[in-house]
Amino acid sequence: MSRRPGGLIGDWAEAQRRQQQTQVIQQREAERRQRAYERDANRSHRQYREAEALRRTAQLDAEVAALKGLLVAGCRAPAFRISALARGEQLEPFNPGALAQPVPMPRIEDFQQQSSGWTLGSNHRAQAEREAHARYTQAWQAANAAEAQRRQQLEAYRQQYDRWAAEQLAGVRAQNSGLTELAEALRAGEAEAAVEYFSGALYASAAWPETLPRQVAAAYDPAARQLVLDWELPGYAVVPEARAVQYLPSTDQDKVKPRPVTERRALYRDLLAQCVLLVVRELYAADEFGVLDSVVVNGFVDCHDPATGQETRIVLATVPAERAAFAGLRLEQVNAVDCLVSGLGGQLSARPDQLTAVRPGRRPDEVGGGVVSHGGHAGDASDDEPDLFAMDPIAFENLVAELFRAMGMEAVTTQRSGDGGVDVEALDPAPIRGGRIVVQVKRYRNTVPPTAVRDLYGTVQDKGANKGVLVTTASFGPGSYTFANGKPLELVPGADLVDLLHQYGLRGRLGGGAAAPAAPARRTPEPAPPADHNVLGMSWSGSVALDVCALVCQGGRVLSEEHFVFFNNPRTPDGSVRSRAHAAPDKAALEVSFDALPERADRLVLVAAIDPEIDPRADLAGFTDAHIRLLSAGGEELGRLDVSDGRAGETALVLGSFRRRSNGDWDFVIGGKGYRGGLEDLLGEYGVEVA
């Protein structure tokens, strides 16, 4: 019997065959897409690694270029003048902000107009007029009470400002009077005044990068009209050991090409000559009173004696420089080594990288009289606070190590070179929270950049430490605190360092000497919140711990790091946005005076991020039923603003933003964009440097 084509079985078999073919095609297409994705990913990864290698090479080139051009760049810096330390008596004017605006008083006409359209009988009109007058009376009483409160706050703030202004003027006049006395002493050729002035000139000089040391010991010989000083030189490690970085795709690793030893030695020797010449140039340039006929500079490094292992001071360069001989030099055109050795008759170590010393010239302690060392007078009373800015770098590191020991830890300073970015190593014996701590010490005057915090984190990981601590005489910006948040890092700014030293019986201060650069003026006292401010109360379901922050922006960029309000920056400079304590049912709160926001600001962005210190594994999946309560200054709820729920895997979220309309009103626009990289990723989009 012949097989009948078609039929139910044949149709089913054909359908099965086609389905199998479709599945094979789909599988092949999926495999093709996966291969394409992997090729693109590998290509993107390779491009990123190659670009990063080029960036690191360019950074090395830039560091070397800066070392080569130190003398030329330093010669362009303005000469130091004693007038640079003088402070003007013009203070920041009294600015009460919104408190200066009287509360608008209601007009009876506005309330009468509301009832003018009623045309019913006379009884109804009379009733309407009475009601209008009652509303007017109530509004007038409320406005009058608010105006009385405003005047009271304004008067209190004025008195606070007057007290602040009187203190500022007294401080300014005392400092300027001291500078006048110093100038008179210089004209008279007093040794102590000369040492104080020229040491201050070197510390305040704009010619020296922050990365180079500024340690000095000086004395003045009035009879010879000669200044003699020892000046610290940078160590050999300042010249990068690497010359370039190359990415090798075959091993997916970076290859660091070393700098030839002969090139590195030549760069270091040239740098030392530039440093000594620049010191001489800065001294003569600062001599506005004509008290110097010659200077002697001994350039030294602090290190460990290879023979004894003891800390010692090795002189690597020395030069006696007469004013007449030095005045004829064109430093921008010279070869630094030839100029120092042949032009001025100085000495320069043939192998400074091996700490081969030269015979020093005249030393400060050979002059007699007063010697200033590290910015403070020798022989000062023992109870004076040492200036941390002017302290010997090694002494400063030893002081930090002593602080850790006073806190109950074991702590030692590291070698000056080859320390891998660690200045002090500490061991905290406390169980659970203790362990190995690596400490970096930054004796800066300006804000520490976030890159230094990032580098410390890399050192913690590289050394396998439990924690990293960055101690500085300066301060940190919001980007640094944001990067450190949730990581085993602790940042200790200068003010906190001084407090810790005093708490544990140690000594230290931040500047304040007459020859030190003038300290920044104190901020105007913080005014009370304007009467017309609003409170933004944040609530949500779930137990997730969040930091709620605000960014004052123009477009999609924050105005400045100071306009990012978060746990380490509780208010904007003008006080228009502030953190505040929250009360139930809210879990976080901010205070905003919309009328006081900067004119160029067109939006106030509210964000929330997981607090990684409380639970580093948490995400925003538990962030639900969230809303913002808009409250008046008196706590009256004016409305509720809904915001988006969080999502699993995300650790930061834009809640929404208040946006300024053309008529000056502010509208709320709900957000919802989430970030898996936490607050760090979110802030990057708004222009806050984190790392």
Side-chain angles (χ1 to χ4, degrees), residues 291-348:
V291 300
L292 296 181
D293 285 344
S294 64
V295 298
V296 177
V297 178
N298 300 297
F300 67 89
V301 292
D302 280 333
C303 58
H304 290 84
D305 189 329
T308 66
Q310 300 294 321
E311 288 187 5
T312 187
R313 181 164 291 181
I314 296 179
V315 176
L316 298 179
T318 185
V319 64
E322 300 287 337
R323 178 186 283 275
F326 195 80
L329 299 176
R330 297 182 61 186
L331 292 180
E332 299 91 337
Q333 306 295 330
V334 303
N335 176 288
V337 174
D338 293 342
C339 179
L340 180 70
V341 177
S342 302
L344 295 174
Q347 298 181 64
L348 179 63

Side-chain angles (χ1 to χ4, degrees), residues 568-584:
N568 270 309
N569 184 43
R571 62 186 292 266
T572 56
D574 57 8
S576 58
V577 183
R578 310 161 184 254
S579 297
R580 64 171 287 161
H582 64 274

Side-chain angles (χ1 to χ4, degrees), residues 102 140 145 147 155 158 226 241-242 255 269 282 298 359 451 473 532 548 562 600 691:
W140 185 90
E147 173 63 11
E155 177 60 25
R158 179 75 213 199
Q226 183 181 70
E241 186 176 358
K255 177 182 179 181
R269 195 164 184 261
E282 290 292 282
N298 300 297
R359 183 180 182 84
T451 50
T473 51
D532 60 346
V548 177
E562 291 185 336
R600 58 194 178 106

Side-chain angles (χ1 to χ4, degrees), residues 447-450 453 475-485 491 549-551 558 560-573 679-680 683 687-691:
T447 303
V448 177
V453 185
S475 58
F476 301 94
S480 295
Y481 283 113
T482 302
F483 179 82
N485 191 26
L491 309 182
C549 317
L551 299 100
V558 69
S560 73
E561 285 200 350
E562 291 185 336
H563 287 86
F564 168 42
V565 177
F566 70 122
F567 49 87
N568 270 309
N569 184 43
R571 62 186 292 266
T572 56
L679 194 57
E680 181 179 337
L683 292 177
V688 177
E689 182 185 2
V690 177

Side-chain angles (χ1 to χ4, degrees), residues 194-252:
V195 170
E196 182 180 3
Y197 173 72
F198 287 108
S199 297
L202 289 175
Y203 277 110
S205 170
W208 295 92
E210 287 284 359
T211 53
L212 296 186
R214 300 194 190 200
Q215 182 187 171
V216 64
Y220 180 70
D221 185 346
R225 293 169 55 86
Q226 183 181 70
L227 185 71
V228 180
L229 71 156
D230 290 350
W231 179 261
E232 185 181 10
L233 298 172
Y236 186 45
V238 73
V239 182
E241 186 176 358
R243 187 176 191 179
V245 179
Q246 179 185 7
Y247 173 63
L248 302 178
S250 58
T251 60
D252 193 27

Side-chain angles (χ1 to χ4, degrees), residues 256 396 529:
V256 178
F396 184 48

